[in-house]
Amino acid sequence: MEQKAQLAELGLFDAKVPRYTSYPTAPHFGKNTDSAQFSSWVSRIAPGSSISLYVHVPFCRRLCWFCACRTQGTHSDAPVEAYVQVLKAEIALLKAQLPADITLSRLHWGGGTPTLLSAELIRDLAGAVTEAIPLAPRAEFSVEIDPNEIGDRRLDALAEAGMNRASVGVQDFDSTIQQAIGRIQSFEATRAAIEQLRNHGITSLNADILFGLPHQTPAIMTESVQKLLSLTPDRVAVYGYAHVPWMAGRQSMIRSDALPTPESRLELFETARQLFLWDGYREIGIDHFARPHDGLAVAQQTGRLRRNFQGYTDDPAEVLIGIGASAISRFPQGYAQNAPATSAYVRAIRGGQFATARGHAFAGEDLLRARLIEALMCDFRICREEILSRFAVAEADLDQMFAEADAAFPGMLKVSAKGLQIRDEARPLTRMIARSFDAYDLSTAGHSTAI
């Protein structure tokens, strides 16, 4: 009780803070990054290196009310088929710009619902990707799977294409909550999909579950997590539902008076956290859990854990290229985002040029602060020696940053000659502590609650 009061006093239940999957965050991207800049950054990738590729499929058979992703509903395959042809054209543009001998260390298909593609479209798109940029040895090819939108023929095509990791969205198994968020997906359907995946040789499984949903209680969370544990996923993301109906209009279908209070959200997360820890999962960063053998757990143990737009990752690639409408790329020089509207994206690609609409070129202290924030989000600590050796920052200036953070969160941090560390009891404040190293205007709308 005393800890909760202290967290409340520091603003945990009131603050709106970024998830820090990038720095600066996407709301700070500007229109001064265009297709010419993107093309220049692509051409500067080191020949013979490995990169990551994200493919965005912004279509769903139904639009779940809780989702704030860039998606559109379709009951017909025609717009999906046309979109895949545009993706192939973008891949061809990319191939023409890439230096020689580039391979993929990671390939991820997200959405939307990538598994609404027919088996023929899956083979067509996967073939276009790997013909342009081959998969590296031991590459990871992951796909977001909707248990309501999958079958043996599509799984055959994905397995043949090299998929070796699947990510299954769960949210919550309670039927009342599913009705409230517009996502009907039974435990039986989820279990059947996971059995199908394993029967097709896909042994690495991720799952997503949400806390902070309408009508959710610790008892309901306990039952949903226990059901999920019976399916033995390798890693689980426990995300906080962000209610932002002013950004995602479909969320207005969810009654705000049915949502748990911020204090209850913390209890829901702690309920899930304890269940995963009791079952032998390792805690990864602020919201992931992984079996000890999983790549995320190994990366955490060896200091290689990183953070990107998909959350936590063990991907070593310096370059992540996003293709498709609204997809974001990250280069050593900055970020570039494709046009969010599918129509604008399609128009640009069909016109023979990249669809970059906005982004950010790193300048000033961007890379320094990005690393400070990533270190906190991944490891809950900042190594002073690492920062001083990697960045042109004066010791006095770094110490001043540490001192200001320490003053803002009294008793929550440990500052020493080795650096700065978040105390265990203060980990719920991690995003807020990271925010203290953010030099950008934080009044931008759209950030989610701290817990």
Side-chain angles (χ1 to χ4, degrees):
M1 200 69 178
E2 182 180 338
Q3 182 196 3
K4 186 178 287 190
Q6 192 173 12
L7 295 175
E9 187 176 334
L10 290 170
L12 175 66
F13 304 124
D14 305 312
K16 303 291 184 181
V17 290
R19 296 185 188 275
Y20 287 117
T21 54
S22 71
Y23 181 82
T25 57
H28 297 294
F29 292 178
K31 294 184 178 181
N32 56 344
T33 302
D34 57 15
S35 59
Q37 181 75 84
F38 176 86
S39 181
S40 170
W41 288 345
V42 169
S43 67
R44 291 163 68 181
I45 297 172
S49 62
S50 286
I51 66 172
S52 295
L53 188 72
Y54 170 75
V55 180
H56 187 62
V57 180
F59 295 97
C60 295
R61 295 296 183 203
R62 68 194 187 289
L63 295 177
C64 304
W65 303 337
F66 72 90
C67 181
C69 297
R70 286 270 181 182
T71 58
Q72 58 197 79
T74 180
H75 296 293
S76 164
D77 286 340
V80 181
E81 292 168 354
Y83 180 79
V84 168
Q85 297 310 307
V86 179
L87 285 177
K88 290 169 59 182
E90 185 180 12
I91 292 166
L93 286 173
L94 181 61
K95 179 184 178 182
Q97 290 286 322
L98 282 171
D101 302 321
I102 301 298
T103 58
L104 292 178
S105 64
R106 296 289 189 279
L107 172 61
H108 182 76
W109 291 9
T113 309
T115 51
L116 61 68
L117 271 62
S118 67
E120 291 73 24
L121 284 178
I122 288 170
R123 290 188 175 93
D124 194 23
L125 179 57
V129 169
T130 54
E131 189 277 329
I133 319 173
L135 293 170
R138 296 181 296 283
E140 184 176 288
F141 176 12
S142 58
V143 178
E144 294 176 13
I145 305 290
D146 181 349
N148 295 315
E149 193 69 48
I150 196 61
D152 284 332
R153 291 189 68 244
R154 281 176 281 185
L155 281 175
D156 285 340
L158 286 167
E160 290 167 13
M163 180 180 76
N164 50 20
R165 180 178 287 278
S167 183
V168 179
V170 170
Q171 323 323 333
D172 195 290
F173 287 121
D174 182 81
S175 60
T176 299
I177 292 176
Q178 290 184 1
Q179 291 282 352
I181 65 174
R183 168 80 172 204
I184 308 303
Q185 178 184 314
S186 68
F187 171 71
E188 291 73 22
T190 305
R191 180 176 58 193
I194 288 177
E195 288 174 354
Q196 280 183 299
L197 286 162
R198 288 178 169 144
N199 289 339
H200 282 76
I202 312 303
T203 57
S204 295
L205 294 174
N206 303 359
D208 296 342
I209 196 165
L210 292 178
F211 69 92
L213 294 173
H215 310 297
Q216 208 171 34
T217 65
I220 289 173
M221 175 63 81
T222 296
E223 184 175 359
S224 289
V225 170
Q226 287 177 335
K227 285 181 175 179
L228 180 58
L229 287 171
S230 74
L231 304 176
T232 62
D234 298 277
R235 68 177 70 155
V236 180
V238 185
Y239 292 129
Y241 167 62
H243 192 61
V244 287
W246 56 90
M247 291 180 58
R250 72 191 77 162
Q251 289 188 353
S252 62
M253 300 290 289
I254 295 175
R255 288 176 44 196
S256 59
D257 61 354
L259 295 171
T261 64
E263 292 83 356
S264 296
R265 285 170 62 95
L266 178 59
E267 186 179 4
L268 289 167
F269 176 77
E270 284 298 322
T271 297
R273 175 177 176 270
Q274 289 298 333
L275 289 168
F276 286 114
L277 294 179
W278 287 339
D279 207 61
Y281 284 77
R282 300 270 177 85
E283 191 169 11
I284 310 295
I286 63 169
D287 53 18
H288 280 51
F289 299 85
R291 296 283 187 192
H293 67 269
D294 185 80
L296 281 189
V298 175
Q300 182 193 56
Q301 294 276 61
T302 55
R304 296 183 294 104
L305 189 65
R306 299 178 65 189
R307 192 156 173 83
N308 66 14
F309 295 105
Q310 279 79 58
Y312 291 104
T313 180
D314 57 349
D315 181 13
E318 288 190 347
V319 173
L320 165 66
I321 294 180
I323 66 169
S326 78
I328 300 176
S329 302
R330 186 197 190 281
F331 298 88
Q333 299 86 4
Y335 297 106
Q337 183 175 22
N338 281 348
T342 304
S343 57
Y345 160 76
V346 168
R347 189 163 54 248
I349 300 299
R350 285 180 174 168
Q353 57 182 293
F354 292 114
T356 310
R358 57 199 292 266
H360 179 85
F362 294 136
E365 294 183 334
D366 283 347
L367 290 174
L368 164 66
R369 291 180 180 271
R371 179 55 195 152
L372 293 172
I373 289 171
E374 183 182 49
L376 288 173
M377 296 293 290
C378 291
D379 305 317
F380 304 109
R381 62 183 178 84
I382 298 170
C383 175
R384 192 170 184 273
E385 182 181 357
E386 179 215 340
I387 298 302
L388 291 174
S389 65
R390 286 182 56 181
F391 301 97
V393 57
E395 291 187 44
D397 291 340
L398 182 61
D399 290 341
Q400 180 64 27
M401 290 183 191
F402 289 171
E404 290 174 0
D406 192 31
F409 298 93
M412 297 288 114
L413 305 177
K414 180 181 179 182
V415 179
S416 69
K418 292 184 177 181
L420 178 147
Q421 183 172 349
I422 300 175
R423 297 182 186 275
D424 290 349
E425 63 272 21
R427 287 188 177 186
L429 295 165
T430 296
R431 285 163 56 200
M432 294 179 62
I433 296 167
R435 184 180 65 173
S436 67
F437 292 91
D438 189 334
Y440 286 86
D441 177 13
L442 298 175
S443 63
T444 305
H447 294 149
S448 62
T449 54
I451 186 65

